[in-house]
Amino acid sequence: MVFTRTEKSATSNSPVTNGVKEDKDFKKLKQSKASPTAPRRSSARIQALQKAEKTVAGPNAVVVKGEDKCKDNVKEGKSKKRSRKNLVVEEQSVLLLKKKPLACGKDEMKVENAVGQIEDKSDTVKVKDTIRLFNKYYLQLVQEEEKRCVRTETQPKDANSPKKSSQKAPKSKKGAPHVDSKKPAKRPDLKAISKMMENNEILYSEKRIGSIPGIEVGYQFYSRAEMVAVGFHSHWLNGIDYMGQSYAKAYSFEFPIAIAIVLSGMYEDDQDNAEDVVYTGQGGHNLTGDKRQIQDQKLERGNLALKNCVEQCVPVRVIRGHDSSSSYSGKVYTYDGLYKVVNYWCETGLSGFKVFKFRLRRLEGQPTLTTNQVYFTYGRVPQSIAEIRGLVCEDITGGQEDIPIPATNVVDDPPVPPTGFTYCKSLKVAKNVKLPSNAAGCKCKGLCNDPTTCACALRNGSDFPYVSRNGGRLVEAKDVVFECGPKCGCGPGCVNRTSQKGLRYRLEVFRTAKKGWAVRSWDFIPSGAPVCEYTGILARTEDMDSMLENNYIFEIDGLQTIKGLGGRERRSQDGEIPEDILNKYEDPSSESVPEFCIDAGSTGNIARFINHCCEPNLFVQCVLSTHDDLRLARVMLFAADNIPPLQELTYDYGYALDSVLGSDGKIKQMPCYCGAADCRKRLF
DNA sequence: GTCATTCAGAGGTAT
DNA sequence: ACCTCTGAATGACTT
């Protein structure tokens, strides 16, 4: 089930876009308390509110301060030079600041709760934001790399090979030995963590013994580099992460001591029995080729660190690496909890060389390991229609989409399928709305790949908004994305048509107990990948006002976002949007409220089943391709995170609290069941 | 399509 | 100046 979407707010890179209910409501909203939701939604809107009512509430001000600091820690990392202690102290002072308002009156109670939640969740959210930042850098660097490849491709010999999808550029830059500049940059993941280190954006740059706040047992990483970004395991290559002598001053242990290990199952002598692990030490093996042992291991570095753990009873975080062929990322790393290093010995391994062995036993009192974690399989993703439990409809699209979308219901008795709507893959336009088709288009041939000449890329700030990796991923949320359209010279395979290529993942509509219908994917979805468009009937908002009970209206607020109106957070930098686009809308009254909306009440696609969540994994992105009218932009949903199979897909409907009025003119409330740690508890 | 091989990668640790 | 249980591209192979 879906409700009216309103203003969006974005948390860092989880974007937001679109419609505001109406400005009178917004005024009401303004009067509402400097809402407890402020922390969660980094939200422009709330910030605007706070600015607007600076005069309010002392305690709130304090809280805000604390939050700001908190945010600083997350976003800018510790920009202070290292010195751990300072950091710790600072964090404590933040805590103090946060706790202060606890003892206050009613309104402040809200704040208190909110603050309490911030604390709980902020660890989780810090991790999430850190990973999102990593993903953003990663995609930016992939983009840079793709650009570089184009350059080297066109330079050497203008290989205008008719090969279609491969503008991949054979990276044999041998032709130009002096490299077309400084950085070969082959590993965007490593570059991304380098960048985060430079900027002090590593979440826990100080190594820690034991568990890491915000990372529960079962947490999944999608690359070694992600772990480095969080500070969970600080080498991207080594299996054993340990604290060296430099920590001797701050602790009374004998160093080095190991703090985290990755089990990749690659050592020929490793044994893994879930709760009980025999881990082979590092060193002495052939780095290339068969990776066999070629010499004796020594009791040094990581091996010594693990030995010291035995004697000093230091627990070690254990991460298991898994191949997951079904995913684009190809690898998954699960955090499986703390283990104690029970003992160690030295033996002659299969290859005849000395190896060290460490027996690890899982500490008690942790969530049980499932076989899914040890022998990694993603839940039970059905392989065929016959395997689907609770199937109530084989394909709700009736064959319209390339990939069928089944519906399942294991909640109702008897199970019922979703009804009351007509599936429609593409947008329909109401009679009184005219969709222009004035986009000029670019003159590229075949595929667009040179952002310096493609007219469409130029509109996006001289870059393609997408990288071609994984079939097209949006590098970051923008106010609006300009895609290639019907008048462009490029073909359908062009990366700048990424949102026009239909569904890419096997989606399922499933029944939930409290939230009605919901949507999930059987496939892994990498961050920045397009998930689906929001379709329905494109209509005038004013015609909708009578239909208060219609919960499927999506207001198109591309224009409002671009202007930063209604508290929306700008996503693009000033000057990035071509002026000819902006200058069209001169009537300020037309700007305050989205003029157009998409009504998916009676007709729509899969998007109408996607639920709201206060901590979503999708974001909304306005896209223009056939015309350049921001008020009529297409609405796309993109993945904000790497999304594992079977995780419910959600986005932030973006309601401001108390912004929705019932037919009686009273404020309507709707509880939120999203279950996020920082849930606002109300949808509106 | 899958497998095997290749190799750059870049910070941490110790010398 | 070492070390390193990645990742991705390439080439060889199998169906």
Side-chain angles (χ1 to χ4, degrees):
Chain A
M1 98 180 348
V2 166
F3 302 94
T4 316
R5 288 129 203 91
T6 309
E7 161 258 5
K8 256 55 256 192
S9 71
T11 339
S12 58
N13 28 10
S14 105
V16 172
T17 313
N18 74 326
V20 160
K21 188 77 191 165
E22 55 245 288
D23 60 351
K24 60 181 182 229
D25 287 345
F26 181 55
K27 279 181 208 125
K28 279 203 178 95
L29 177 140
K30 278 187 155 184
Q31 287 153 14
S32 69
K33 296 281 125 58
S35 80
T37 64
R40 184 197 85 69
R41 331 180 72 199
S42 69
S43 143
R45 163 164 299 208
I46 301 302
Q47 282 163 10
L49 283 179
Q50 285 167 345
K51 266 174 217 150
E53 33 185 10
K54 277 191 191 103
T55 54
V56 178
N60 280 355
V62 174
V63 171
V64 169
K65 231 185 190 169
E67 281 151 14
D68 281 348
K69 269 199 178 167
C70 200
K71 231 181 251 166
D72 287 347
N73 275 348
V74 176
K75 290 214 173 121
E76 302 164 17
K78 0 316 198 130
S79 50
K80 348 277 161 188
K81 344 255 140 105
R82 309 254 137 146
S83 115
R84 229 19 93 184
K85 273 122 222 174
N86 282 350
L87 263 182
V88 173
V89 170
E90 194 180 315
E91 270 168 16
Q92 277 171 356
S93 63
V94 169
L95 293 193
L96 288 181
L97 279 175
K98 281 181 184 166
K99 296 217 161 115
K100 242 185 206 156
L102 289 191
C104 306
K106 209 189 225 165
D107 286 342
E108 287 75 13
M109 279 309 282
K110 275 191 195 163
V111 173
E112 172 204 337
N113 288 341
V115 169
Q117 287 166 11
I118 296 166
E119 299 248 345
D120 288 347
K121 82 154 207 183
S122 87
D123 286 332
T124 319
V125 166
K126 277 183 195 170
V127 169
K128 192 177 217 177
D129 286 348
T130 305
I131 301 279
R132 282 185 180 177
L133 184 62
F134 169 81
N135 281 326
K136 185 173 120 184
Y137 286 155
Y138 175 82
L139 288 172
Q140 285 173 349
L141 291 159
V142 169
Q143 183 178 42
E144 247 172 52
E145 175 68 358
E146 288 186 354
K147 257 195 281 188
R148 195 182 61 83
C149 289
V150 169
R151 245 179 282 134
T152 56
E153 189 183 51
T154 49
Q155 219 127 333
K157 56 170 173 192
D158 195 336
N160 47 6
S161 59
K163 288 181 181 169
K164 13 105 192 265
S165 60
S166 72
Q167 85 284 35
K168 272 278 174 165
K171 54 128 196 224
S172 60
K173 43 158 175 270
K174 300 284 153 83
H178 204 304
V179 203
D180 51 295
S181 72
K182 32 264 140 170
K183 315 234 167 177
K186 292 206 175 140
R187 294 282 303 267
D189 54 332
L190 302 184
K191 292 284 176 202
I193 55 178
S194 287
K195 188 165 180 179
M196 292 181 74
M197 283 173 183
E198 270 171 37
N199 300 345
N200 282 312
E201 288 163 331
I202 302 294
L203 184 51
Y204 299 109
S205 55
E206 179 103 327
K207 295 189 183 185
R208 300 184 176 210
I209 298 169
S211 57
I212 297 290
I215 310 255
E216 304 299 321
V217 169
Y219 188 94
Q220 296 180 4
F221 294 93
Y222 295 96
S223 77
R224 292 291 304 265
E226 280 189 2
M227 289 188 259
V228 179
V230 175
F232 193 72
H233 186 296
S234 43
H235 301 277
W236 57 271
L237 191 48
N238 290 6
I240 305 171
D241 187 18
Y242 59 99
M243 297 162 89
Q245 302 299 342
S246 60
Y247 288 85
K249 293 167 220 143
Y251 297 83
S252 53
F253 292 110
E254 183 181 331
F255 286 89
I257 55 175
I259 53 172
I261 62 172
V262 176
L263 291 150
S264 298
M266 299 183 89
Y267 266 76
E268 54 195 6
D269 301 329
D270 274 354
Q271 269 181 47
D272 186 355
N273 297 311
E275 302 283 324
D276 236 321
V277 174
V278 176
Y279 186 75
T280 307
Q282 65 183 187
H285 64 74
N286 188 359
L287 299 187
T288 58
D290 58 7
K291 302 198 166 137
R292 297 262 182 120
Q293 292 296 131
I294 51 172
Q295 53 181 275
D296 291 345
Q297 288 186 346
K298 296 183 190 137
L299 193 57
E300 57 181 18
R301 297 166 179 274
N303 298 345
L304 181 58
L306 279 168
K307 174 204 155 225
N308 285 335
C309 286
V310 177
E311 288 151 8
Q312 300 175 87
C313 289
V314 175
V316 173
R317 299 188 289 272
V318 169
I319 299 123
R320 281 187 176 76
H322 314 270
D323 285 335
S324 71
S325 51
S326 67
S327 87
Y328 276 113
S329 68
K331 291 255 171 70
V332 174
Y333 298 87
T334 56
Y335 172 47
D336 292 343
L338 295 175
Y339 283 63
K340 175 183 177 182
V341 189
V342 181
N343 58 357
Y344 78 100
W345 63 95
C346 185
E347 66 181 39
T348 303
L350 301 183
S351 308
F353 292 98
K354 271 193 200 164
V355 291
F356 285 93
K357 298 287 188 150
F358 301 89
R359 179 177 299 281
L360 293 104
R361 169 163 284 281
R362 197 159 186 263
L363 295 183
E364 312 219 329
Q366 304 185 85
T368 316
L369 269 190
T370 65
T371 53
N372 275 353
Q373 283 166 285
V374 183
Y375 308 103
F376 193 71
T377 54
Y378 269 130
R380 16 10 63 220
V381 173
Q383 296 305 309
S384 70
I385 294 276
E387 289 178 39
I388 304 176
R389 280 209 317 145
L391 184 72
V392 286
C393 176
E394 283 194 17
D395 182 11
I396 63 163
T397 83
Q400 286 186 51
E401 304 279 6
D402 295 338
I403 306 175
I405 303 176
T408 61
N409 187 343
V410 291
V411 172
D412 297 324
D413 188 17
V416 292
T419 53
F421 78 105
T422 310
Y423 195 93
C424 187
K425 177 182 174 177
S426 48
L427 197 66
K428 290 182 174 172
V429 182
K431 288 190 193 80
N432 60 348
V433 176
K434 204 155 99 210
L435 211 50
S437 57
N438 57 348
C442 63
K443 299 196 169 64
C444 306
K445 295 275 189 297
L447 302 173
C448 299
N449 57 15
D450 187 350
T452 59
T453 57
C454 172
C456 297
L458 294 176
R459 314 206 92 191
N460 289 299
S462 303
D463 262 328
F464 290 110
Y466 304 104
V467 296
S468 51
R469 182 166 296 209
N470 305 136
R473 291 166 68 176
L474 184 63
V475 173
E476 58 190 315
K478 306 258 205 175
D479 285 340
V480 62
V481 162
F482 296 94
E483 287 200 355
C484 291
K487 293 185 188 158
C488 294
C490 58
C494 173
V495 69
N496 201 30
R497 296 175 183 272
T498 290
S499 81
Q500 304 167 27
K501 298 175 185 174
L503 292 185
R504 305 198 330 207
Y505 306 102
R506 294 175 295 168
L507 303 180
E508 172 197 350
V509 173
F510 67 103
R511 188 72 173 171
T512 64
K514 278 191 163 176
K515 299 191 293 184
W517 296 101
V519 179
R520 61 190 170 196
S521 168
W522 294 357
D523 298 311
F524 175 83
I525 305 177
S527 70
V531 173
C532 65
E533 183 175 352
Y534 193 99
T535 73
I537 298 169
L538 180 57
R540 293 189 168 274
T541 309
E542 59 195 22
D543 297 338
M544 289 295 122
D545 283 343
S546 54
M547 306 171 62
L548 279 168
E549 298 309 315
N550 185 339
N551 287 326
Y552 294 91
I553 296 173
F554 197 121
E555 297 184 311
I556 305 172
D557 71 343
L559 179 59
Q560 287 69 31
T561 298
I562 232 168
K563 301 252 177 183
L565 292 173
R568 290 176 185 80
E569 190 168 321
R570 288 294 312 276
R571 301 163 162 196
S572 305
Q573 288 163 6
D574 284 338
E576 206 173 300
I577 306 293
E579 294 209 346
D580 60 309
I581 299 284
L582 291 175
N583 293 340
K584 272 187 210 163
Y585 314 97
E586 279 161 9
D587 176 10
S589 67
S590 74
E591 297 177 0
S592 56
V593 167
E595 275 179 80
F596 299 97
C597 63
I598 299 169
D599 172 14
S602 57
T603 268
N605 70 346
I606 179 71
R608 74 194 290 285
F609 293 104
I610 300 178
N611 284 315
H612 163 86
C613 180
C614 296
E615 205 175 294
N617 53 13
L618 305 179
F619 65 88
V620 176
Q621 175 67 62
C622 287
V623 177
L624 290 176
S625 54
T626 58
H627 60 81
D628 57 13
D629 192 333
L630 289 162
R631 302 167 304 165
L632 296 164
R634 292 169 59 228
V635 173
M636 285 293 302
L637 294 170
F638 284 85
D641 300 305
N642 290 321
I643 305 174
L646 302 183
Q647 184 179 96
E648 184 184 345
L649 303 179
T650 56
Y651 65 100
D652 190 339
Y653 287 5
Y655 289 104
L657 291 185
D658 301 336
S659 66
V660 178
L661 303 185
S663 44
D664 53 359
K666 285 189 179 167
I667 291 174
K668 240 167 94 177
Q669 297 196 356
M670 167 71 74
C672 177
Y673 298 111
C674 77
D678 60 336
C679 175
R680 281 162 289 177
K681 304 299 179 200
R682 281 169 54 195
L683 204 47
F684 50 80

